[in-house]
């Protein structure tokens, strides 16, 4: 922690919100000297003290070697019971080690534990100490905790003015509760434009109470077009009056064309104003302005300027700015490519609470792109990303639980994570949840629910889902309308490069189902799918050649396509090729070779191949 003289604190003996008596406490001039730091916990002790099947030795070693991120992940795992029994006392030990290494989330979590006395003796003094450290290094929760203590006069000489600064910092760091509390203080100061903007930011961050305040206090209903229209004027006033958060939200509206004319140049000017703000700019505004400079939208493309803006935001502990800067180092854009530097920036951003950065880190550790491959650490980081509302983190963690590995196979947990990812807007999460309902893997089998979810995933651009919807419509619904819908889904998905959809579309042309019969078009589509690596397309193409459908009958060409399909893994192709060898059509007759291909088809699950194999062997 920073060595400095701390002010006297008035300490409550209960929770922050309680109204019990207080007493004075003198704080040591050297807080580090009185700080309770856990001793290193050796690997063998971990294995005897924690009931877990996870191999955490690499994380324990890293924590003992001074890596704050590893300590924080261990603390979170113990608090949440991730792969082990919950143990708040040990969680506090690891959070303490993480905080010593300047990992702000560890400090913030430890501060909250001292507030409620979970795993530690209750102490608002210690909570204040850890919140202060957390806020100084970019953990918004720490800033909110400090704001509460200052607002409730728990720190001698601190009050609403200091609380406002803490809530503003929390809000600038992206914490909706900080924005809501900032709105409350600004309202008491009659700074109405800034107060409304703060409530709006909290509302858009998921705080329903802030939405209600806008409606009840200011008669602004954010759910209506009129309410959103009123807010444009509020944001313009707030931005002009020097409240940079208002500039951020106004700029976003111009950039996205939400309730105003789409105008990226205007967005850039508004972001720049919020970023500068007479030398006291808002780091989010700088980051958004940097993004426009990076993409060349609204301003001339300027990667060096983007790097400068991201770096300034990151230096101000704004985690998203660190993530964007890490991306540029990862890609070598505007700066020399440096994957080690990008990893450092992702770690800083994740430490500051940016879920996407945690996801990026998880990918690096899963693939071995970091110092070394670490499947357990990767899974824990996906969990952090998911818990922070990053949908891709939930979906990827779901895949790990479905397939097993570092976290163990748990289809039921996988389905829960897919559902959360889907609810957060991830199409792949909806698709994977649909697959679970289709097969009954981790959830009861519900084909209709599977189709509903496939449609939802298709609407979110998941081409495999569109194919599945099209297949379901073509197989289960005989109405002309359903067949036309299936045809259109197959067509769009095939054009998007989904080979299975090309097979489905070809079959509709072959049968005249939902479209006029066209064997030549069917042949071309089967050939396209075959060339794209879809084995079933090769099988169907071979069948057209064998039967002379739209082409001259040619058993030799059929055999060539069946062989290709079989080698690509289609058991039906193996079965059809075995039949040609059994009869000698297009190939030299050979019962031995026929048995070989029938066996391969049977092993792949093709019932006809099994029947033919039994006949030849008997």
């Amino acid at each position: 922690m920073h060595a400095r003289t701390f002010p006297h604190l008035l300490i409550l003996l209960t929770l922050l919100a309680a109204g019990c008596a207080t007493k004075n406490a003198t704080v040591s001039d050297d807080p580090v000297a009185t700080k309770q730091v856990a001793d290193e916990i050796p690997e063998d002790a971990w294995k005897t003290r924690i009931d877990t099947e996870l191999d955490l030795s690499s994380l324990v070693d890293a924590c003992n070697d001074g890596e704050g991120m590893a300590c924080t992940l261990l603390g979170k795992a113990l608090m949440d019971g991730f792969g082990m029994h919950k143990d708040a006392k040990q969680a506090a030990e690891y959070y303490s080690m993480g905080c010593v290494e300047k990992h702000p989330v560890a400090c913030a979590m430890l501060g909250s534990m001292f507030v409620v006395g979970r795993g530690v003796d209750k102490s608002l003094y210690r909570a204040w100490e850890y919140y202060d450290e957390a806020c100084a290094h970019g953990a918004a929760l720490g800033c909110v905790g400090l704001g509460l203590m200052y607002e409730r006069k728990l720190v001698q000489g601190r009050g609403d003015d200091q609380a406002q600064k803490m809530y503003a910092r929390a809000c600038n760091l992206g914490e909706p509760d900080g924005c809501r509390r900032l709105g409350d203080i600004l309202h008491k100061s009659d700074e109405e434009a800034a107060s409304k903007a703060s409530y709006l930011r909290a509302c858009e961050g998921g705080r329903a109470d802030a939405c209600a305040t806008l409606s009840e206090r200011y008669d602004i209903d954010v759910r209506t077009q009129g309410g959103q229209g009123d807010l444009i004027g509020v944001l313009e006033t707030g931005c002009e009056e020097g409240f940079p958060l208002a500039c951020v939200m106004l700029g976003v509206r111009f950039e996205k064309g939400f309730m105003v004319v789409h105008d990226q140049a205007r967005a850039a000017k508004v972001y720049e104003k919020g970023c500068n703000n007479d030398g006291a700019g808002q780091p989010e505004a700088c980051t958004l302005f940097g993004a426009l400079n990076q993409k060349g939208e609204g301003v001339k493309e300027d990667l060096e300027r983007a790097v400068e803006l991201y770096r300034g935001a990151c230096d101000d502990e704004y985690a998203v700015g660190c993530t964007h800067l890490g991306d540029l180092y990862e890609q070598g854009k505007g700066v020399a490519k440096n994957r080690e530097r990008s990893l450092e920036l992702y770690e800083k951003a994740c430490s500051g609470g940016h879920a996407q950065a945690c996801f990026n880190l998880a990918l690096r550790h899963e693939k071995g792109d970091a110092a070394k491959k670490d499947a357990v650490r990767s899974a824990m980081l996906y969990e952090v990303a998911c818990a922070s509302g990053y949908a891709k983190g939930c979906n990827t963690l779901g895949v790990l639980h479905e397939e097993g590995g570092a976290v163990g196979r748990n289809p039921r947990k996988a389905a829960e994570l897919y559902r959360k990812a889907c609810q957060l807007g991830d199409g792949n999460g909806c698709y994977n949840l649909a697959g679970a309902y289709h097969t009954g893997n981790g959830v009861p089998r519900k084909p209709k629910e599977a189709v509903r979810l496939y449609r939802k995933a298709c609407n979110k651009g998941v081409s495999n889902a569109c194919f599945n919807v099209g297949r379901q419509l073509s197989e289960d619904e005989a109405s002309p309308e359903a067949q036309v819908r299936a045809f259109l889904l197959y067509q769009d998905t095939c054009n998007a490069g989904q080979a299975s959809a090309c097979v489905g579309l070809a079959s509709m042309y072959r049968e005249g189902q939902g479209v006029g019969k066209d064997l030549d078009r069917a042949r071309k589509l089967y050939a396209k799918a075959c060339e794209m690596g879809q084995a079933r397309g090769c099988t169907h193409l071979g069948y057209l050649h064998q039967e002379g459908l739209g082409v001259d009958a040619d058993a030799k060409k059929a055999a060539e396509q069946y062989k290709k399909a079989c080698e690509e893994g289609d058991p039906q192709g193996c079965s059809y090729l075995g039949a040609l060898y059994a009869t000698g059509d297009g190939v030299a007759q050979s019962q031995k070779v026929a048995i070989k291909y029938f066996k391969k088809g049977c092993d792949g699950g093709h019932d006809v191949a099994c029947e033919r194999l039994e006949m030849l062997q008997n």
Side-chain angles (χ1 to χ4, degrees), residues 37 46 56 85 119-120 132 138 150 152 182 199 201 263 293 299 312 353 369 372 416 450 490 511 545 579:
V37 181
W46 175 275
L56 300 170
H85 291 309
V120 293
D132 184 64
Y150 295 158
R152 292 169 180 164
L182 177 62
Y199 286 132
R201 183 56 183 272
D263 189 341
N293 276 270
V299 292
D369 292 339
K372 62 179 180 178
E416 291 174 2
Y490 279 148
E511 302 298 331
H545 283 293

Side-chain angles (χ1 to χ4, degrees), residues 130-451:
Y130 286 112
Y131 280 152
D132 184 64
E133 180 75 4
C135 184
H137 289 91
L141 177 61
C143 303
V144 172
L146 285 178
L148 282 167
M149 299 185 85
Y150 295 158
E151 186 179 3
R152 292 169 180 164
K153 309 298 188 296
L154 300 179
V155 181
Q156 189 173 6
R158 307 288 174 90
D160 284 357
D161 289 345
Q162 290 75 25
Q164 179 176 329
K165 292 178 181 178
M166 293 299 102
Y167 292 147
R169 177 161 174 74
C171 185
N172 286 341
L173 291 170
E175 172 51 52
D177 189 42
C179 301
R180 180 185 68 83
R181 295 180 185 281
L182 177 62
D184 289 342
I185 287 185
L186 290 169
H187 172 67
K188 289 190 289 185
S189 303
D190 293 324
E191 298 179 54
E192 293 305 318
S195 176
K196 292 174 186 176
S198 299
Y199 286 132
L200 174 61
R201 183 56 183 272
C203 175
E204 292 179 344
R207 295 290 310 207
D209 50 355
C211 304
T213 299
L214 282 171
S215 177
E216 295 166 5
R217 183 178 293 165
Y218 300 112
D219 197 26
I220 297 175
D221 188 345
V222 296
R223 299 168 298 178
T224 67
Q225 185 172 351
Q228 287 291 340
D230 291 341
L231 287 169
I232 297 298
V234 170
L235 296 177
E236 288 178 334
T237 300
C239 185
E240 285 301 319
E241 291 180 353
F243 188 60
L245 183 63
C247 301
V248 168
M249 291 185 287
L250 182 62
V252 168
R253 281 157 170 75
F254 280 116
E255 184 180 357
K256 307 298 183 185
F258 180 62
M259 299 305 298
V260 293
V261 176
H262 181 241
D263 189 341
Q264 291 181 320
R266 180 75 184 278
K269 290 179 180 178
V270 173
Y271 288 148
E272 186 173 21
K273 178 178 176 62
C275 179
N276 294 332
N277 196 44
D278 297 326
Q282 214 267 8
E284 184 179 5
C286 299
T287 300
L288 292 168
F289 187 41
L292 293 184
N293 276 270
Q294 180 182 346
K295 295 179 289 186
E297 296 178 354
V299 292
K300 184 179 179 181
E301 182 179 317
D302 189 341
L303 289 174
E304 291 183 0
R305 177 71 170 138
V307 169
E308 177 187 347
L309 288 161
Y310 292 153
R311 182 174 287 123
C314 184
D315 289 344
D316 199 24
E317 308 298 341
Y318 183 59
V320 180
C322 301
T323 301
H324 287 335
L325 185 59
D327 291 340
L328 293 184
Y329 275 105
E330 177 88 5
Q331 301 159 12
K333 293 183 177 180
V335 290
K337 189 171 184 177
N338 187 333
R339 302 202 77 189
E340 289 185 3
R341 179 59 178 152
S342 74
L343 185 65
E344 292 172 359
L345 288 162
Y346 289 150
E347 287 181 346
K348 180 176 181 179
C350 181
S351 299
H354 191 215
Q356 183 180 334
C358 299
F359 180 82
N360 291 350
L361 275 179
L363 284 175
R364 295 281 292 270
H365 285 289
E366 182 181 8
K367 296 178 180 178
D369 292 339
K372 62 179 180 178
K373 192 171 183 177
D374 190 336
V376 172
R377 183 186 297 225
S378 175
M380 287 183 170
L381 285 165
Y382 285 135
E383 165 69 17
V384 171
C386 178
S388 300
Y390 193 66
K392 289 183 179 180
C394 303
N395 181 62
T396 307
L397 187 60
V399 172
L400 294 181
H401 278 288
E402 183 177 359
E403 296 179 349
V407 296
R409 189 171 184 276
N410 188 336
R412 186 174 182 179
K413 179 66 174 177
E416 291 174 2
L417 289 161
Y418 292 149
R419 179 173 286 104
K420 183 174 181 179
C422 183
Q423 290 170 344
L424 289 170
D426 183 60
N428 288 316
C430 301
Y431 176 79
N432 288 333
L433 182 59
Y437 275 112
H438 183 73
T439 60
N441 188 27
V443 291
R445 188 171 184 275
K446 295 181 180 179
K448 289 185 178 180
E449 179 65 6
V451 172

Side-chain angles (χ1 to χ4, degrees), residues 5 7 51 61 88 95 179 201 250 276 284 293 360 445 462 497 508 531 564 566 579 599:
T5 302
D51 181 11
D61 289 343
Y95 280 143
C179 301
R201 183 56 183 272
L250 182 62
N276 294 332
E284 184 179 5
N293 276 270
N360 291 350
R445 188 171 184 275
V462 181
M508 297 193 82
E531 290 170 1
K564 185 175 181 180
C566 184
K599 185 176 187 309

